[in-house]
Amino acid sequence: MPEPTSLPRVSARGLLRRRAVWLPSAVILGLLSLVLSMLYLGANNDPVGSTKDLPIALVNSDRGAEAAGERIDLGAQIATQITGSAEMKDKVSWKKVDRRTADDLLARGKVFGALVIPEDFSASVAALAGPPQHEPHPPTMTVLTNPAAGSFGSGMAAEINQKVVATTSAQVGHGLTQELGRHAGSAHAGGPAAPGAAAQLVIADPVKATVEEGHPLGSHSGLGLSAFFYALVLVLGGMLGANVIHTQVDTALGYMANDKGPFRFVKPAQHMTRLHHFVVCSVLMVVLSMLTSALAMAGAVGVVGIDASHLGLLWIFGACATAAMGITALALLAVFGTPGPIVSMLVLIGLAIPSAGATIPLQALPDFYRFLAEFEPFRQVVDGVRSILYFGAQADAGLGRAWTMTAIGFAGSLVLGLALTRLYDRRGLHRSALQPAQPRP
């Protein structure tokens, strides 16, 4: 087929010489690279230094003990020192609770870990300075992790707890060393021999840390990251789905050409108001979200085999989350036009992922990202999926807030799209082509 001659021709070299081709592309791509690098790397630059009020449970089960005719309660002393530490004052929010409450907090994702002082802590320390034992029992403290609340946050909590155990061990070791010195002096004076139990241990470091998983996860949970990636699928499904639906509706109306490889199809342009266009796209988005959520779950659970329960709830929440993301993207497309996809990418991905608390906990993010987390949609979706996958779909484990914020986001975006498209129509700012496209064979 000969090339069309009705249109003015332009050479590739001539087009590349035009400033209108280079300048907008350079500005948009350059700003995107700058903004995204600042957003993503700014959130993860110094999580330890940014940590503030990281929630960790502190359980003191120590019953105390009698030593040399005196009552000692090391557990209470250590708990007071831990919560009053100036070094940890701003970084950690200690929750002094009993073991049952700590287990409940772990099971609802309210704390990233727990430090447990056992019932026999004082007794085991006192025994080191007592008569010799054939099998000395070193004092221990249990560090409970919670990867379901976030593997990075759980790791931070475990590291903090292990530092606390090391500090406690040094303090206890110093006291035991002094006690051993007094026994040695007594032995030289004709008193009883120094106890051998303490000598059987490394006195400088007597307290040992036992690390356990406080809220166990299945082996196919991605170490607590499967919720993040599943939520990412839902968010991308909504954002990309909105762009696909918007393009397909424009193609059906003849506003855009339909290119399939080397073949180009253009339908005669048909007029539709902006309001009706947004309504049609929104209906398609809501209905198709049910399909995409089902297929996402089928791929993740049925094919890949991630650990998941409450499948019906996972499907309906996924459909609602995808629809909310899609309506938000469609509203931005309707309001901003061609820049809409870039704006939706910044709102739903660029600003949302660093402030989601999915990889880095919110307590380890700078204040700007904590502010974004209050309303950015990605955080709400992650919390909902995490509650369904890891915490038995408990409402107070994040699912209740996720439902509320998803509904608010859906309704707000729908109202924004309907209001502004109606305003554009009333002012005569229609999307109809100025020159009807001519069908091509």
Side-chain angles (χ1 to χ4, degrees):
M1 180 181 295
E3 295 185 8
T5 57
S6 58
L7 298 177
R9 294 176 61 89
V10 60
S11 66
R13 180 178 297 180
L15 188 61
L16 288 174
R17 288 177 178 176
R18 296 183 185 179
R19 181 181 300 177
V21 174
W22 285 97
L23 188 59
S25 300
V27 171
I28 293 173
L29 294 178
L31 287 177
L32 278 177
S33 299
L34 175 64
V35 171
L36 290 178
S37 67
M38 292 173 60
L39 287 174
Y40 282 89
L41 298 178
N44 305 316
N45 186 41
D46 185 17
V48 175
S50 301
T51 300
K52 183 179 180 181
D53 296 331
L54 188 75
I56 302 176
L58 177 60
V59 179
N60 176 27
S61 302
D62 185 26
R63 295 180 177 179
E66 295 287 340
E70 295 182 359
R71 177 72 179 176
I72 62 171
D73 194 349
L74 293 178
Q77 297 176 19
I78 292 170
T80 301
Q81 291 175 358
I82 292 173
T83 55
S85 171
E87 182 183 359
M88 299 291 180
K89 184 177 181 180
D90 295 329
K91 291 185 177 296
V92 180
S93 175
W94 295 103
K95 313 293 183 184
K96 295 181 68 174
V97 295
D98 58 27
R99 180 58 188 267
R100 177 177 296 182
T101 305
D103 291 338
D104 179 66
L105 292 174
L106 290 166
R108 292 187 291 120
K110 298 300 184 182
V111 293
F112 288 97
L115 180 61
V116 180
I117 304 174
E119 297 179 352
D120 63 344
F121 186 80
S122 292
S124 60
V125 172
L128 296 180
Q133 303 177 46
H134 295 292
E135 295 181 3
H137 176 62
T140 61
M141 297 173 69
T142 303
V143 175
L144 298 178
T145 62
N146 192 13
S151 56
F152 191 90
S154 176
M156 291 181 65
E159 184 177 352
I160 290 172
N161 285 334
Q162 288 175 337
K163 287 183 179 179
V164 169
V165 173
T167 302
T168 301
S169 183
Q171 294 173 350
V172 173
H174 179 69
L176 288 174
T177 301
Q178 291 181 335
E179 185 68 18
L180 184 61
R182 286 196 294 269
H183 279 292
S186 175
H188 286 301
Q200 297 175 30
L201 299 172
V202 180
I203 298 301
D205 186 21
V207 182
K208 306 304 179 186
T210 302
V211 181
E212 300 177 3
E213 196 168 304
H215 181 66
L217 287 177
S219 58
H220 297 133
S221 59
L223 298 178
L225 289 176
S226 59
F228 164 69
F229 289 109
Y230 194 90
L232 181 61
V233 171
L234 299 179
V235 172
L236 289 177
M239 187 185 72
L240 297 178
N243 285 279
V244 170
I245 288 173
H246 192 276
T247 300
Q248 293 303 312
V249 172
D250 275 359
T251 301
L253 293 174
Y255 292 175
M256 292 182 62
N258 186 7
D259 289 330
K260 288 183 169 52
F263 302 102
R264 185 176 180 85
F265 305 91
V266 183
K267 293 185 177 181
Q270 305 171 66
H271 174 69
M272 176 176 280
T273 65
R274 290 179 179 270
L275 176 63
H276 289 168
H277 186 281
F278 178 71
V279 169
V280 169
C281 291
S282 298
V283 171
L284 287 169
M285 188 74 249
V286 171
V287 174
L288 294 180
S289 292
M290 301 180 189
L291 173 64
T292 58
S293 177
L295 292 177
M297 188 174 68
V301 180
V303 178
V304 177
I306 69 169
D307 293 323
S309 57
H310 305 280
L311 297 183
L313 182 59
L314 182 62
W315 167 70
I316 191 63
F317 178 79
C320 292
T322 302
M325 297 298 158
I327 296 298
T328 301
L330 287 172
L332 295 174
L333 280 166
V335 171
F336 292 101
T338 300
I342 299 176
V343 177
S344 64
M345 189 271 292
L346 286 174
V347 172
L348 300 179
I349 299 296
L351 293 171
I353 290 182
S355 60
T359 52
I360 306 295
L362 297 179
Q363 293 81 3
L365 295 176
D367 292 337
F368 171 68
Y369 297 92
R370 297 183 202 181
F371 167 73
L372 290 178
E374 294 298 322
F375 55 87
E376 271 291 346
F378 200 104
R379 183 252 176 122
Q380 327 306 331
V381 179
V382 169
D383 285 351
V385 173
R386 182 178 282 160
S387 176
I388 296 172
L389 293 182
Y390 305 150
F391 300 123
Q394 299 180 80
D396 59 350
L399 186 57
R401 175 187 170 87
W403 276 120
T404 301
M405 296 302 293
T406 299
I408 292 174
F410 180 92
S413 298
L414 190 62
V415 169
L416 175 67
L418 293 174
L420 288 183
T421 51
R422 180 175 175 80
L423 177 64
Y424 291 167
D425 287 334
R426 292 183 64 179
R427 293 190 174 182
L429 303 173
H430 302 296
R431 297 185 69 239
S432 300
L434 296 178
Q435 295 180 353
Q438 299 299 321
R440 293 181 54 81

